[in-house]
Amino acid sequence: MLPRLAPWKVAAKEVMNPNVITVRDDMTMQEVATFLTENQISGAPVEDGEGRLVGVVSYADIARATSEPGALEPPPAEPELFAHGWEEAPLSIRELEGFHATDPGLAVSDIMTPRLHSIDAETPVTAAARLMLDGHIHRVLVTHDHKLVGILTTFDLLRLLVDDDAQ
């Protein structure tokens, strides 16, 4: 059950998912696509071989890598238009097979976004939402004492708006 407080009084730790699922940077694009679909998530933090967080990979990264030559360049830090509306809905394996990669053996390290966005667990969700809007991102890592304790997604923020009792 989500808190019934005004959103500006809700801390990230109250709505985040504490079960962070990560992927390895040496997984292939096909492996990560399957992983995301099987876990019904649209993206995940990426760890290197030593367990350090080195980036984030999402459906948008897979789509960019499969769309056209030269598309593997990371998006600009502040793009004028950065549409990801479809990325939050998990794709099926059949839909992912529709992507035509020129090199399906590309590694996650080749297609991931190498920027990490994080907030402290005590950060109000309104500040987290502002960071997500300003950065055109759909997930932020939640930390406490510089340790990863969860992940907050746009889906988690949307749940604050839904009254479960009204269903």
Side-chain angles (χ1 to χ4, degrees):
M1 186 85 178
L2 292 174
R4 294 288 184 213
L5 300 171
W8 57 90
K9 295 183 179 182
V10 177
K13 69 181 180 182
E14 297 178 69
V15 294
M16 72 177 192
N17 182 343
N19 303 314
V20 181
I21 301 173
T22 61
V23 297
R24 293 181 329 276
D25 65 350
D26 62 347
M27 292 173 76
T28 66
M29 187 169 54
Q30 185 61 46
E31 288 171 332
V32 79
T34 300
F35 179 88
L36 294 176
T37 301
E38 288 175 353
N39 286 282
Q40 297 182 352
I41 57 177
S42 62
V46 178
E47 291 183 334
D48 67 11
E50 296 174 17
R52 292 181 303 232
L53 292 174
V54 294
V56 177
V57 68
S58 70
Y59 286 144
D61 297 312
I62 295 169
R64 190 175 64 249
T66 60
S67 64
E68 58 189 68
L72 292 178
E73 294 299 316
E78 295 185 34
E80 291 179 26
L81 177 64
F82 200 74
H84 284 282
W86 59 273
E87 112 172 310
E88 287 302 314
L91 298 177
S92 69
I93 294 290
R94 183 176 302 269
E95 289 169 311
L96 285 171
E97 288 171 350
F99 290 136
H100 301 287
T102 54
D103 182 0
L106 283 171
V108 168
S109 59
D110 297 324
I111 67 169
M112 71 180 191
T113 300
R115 288 184 295 275
L116 292 170
H117 297 274
S118 66
I119 57 171
D120 184 81
E122 297 296 332
T123 301
V125 294
T126 52
R130 173 54 50 205
L131 173 66
M132 295 164 103
L133 284 169
D134 290 348
H136 304 280
I137 55 176
H138 291 278
R139 63 197 54 77
V140 293
L141 303 177
V142 181
T143 62
H144 179 69
D145 290 334
H146 305 290
K147 291 173 50 180
L148 182 64
V149 295
I151 190 165
L152 183 69
T153 67
T154 50
F155 182 77
D156 298 320
L157 295 177
L158 286 171
R159 285 189 307 176
L160 285 174
L161 301 174
V162 176
D163 182 1
D164 289 335
D165 297 333
Q167 292 180 6

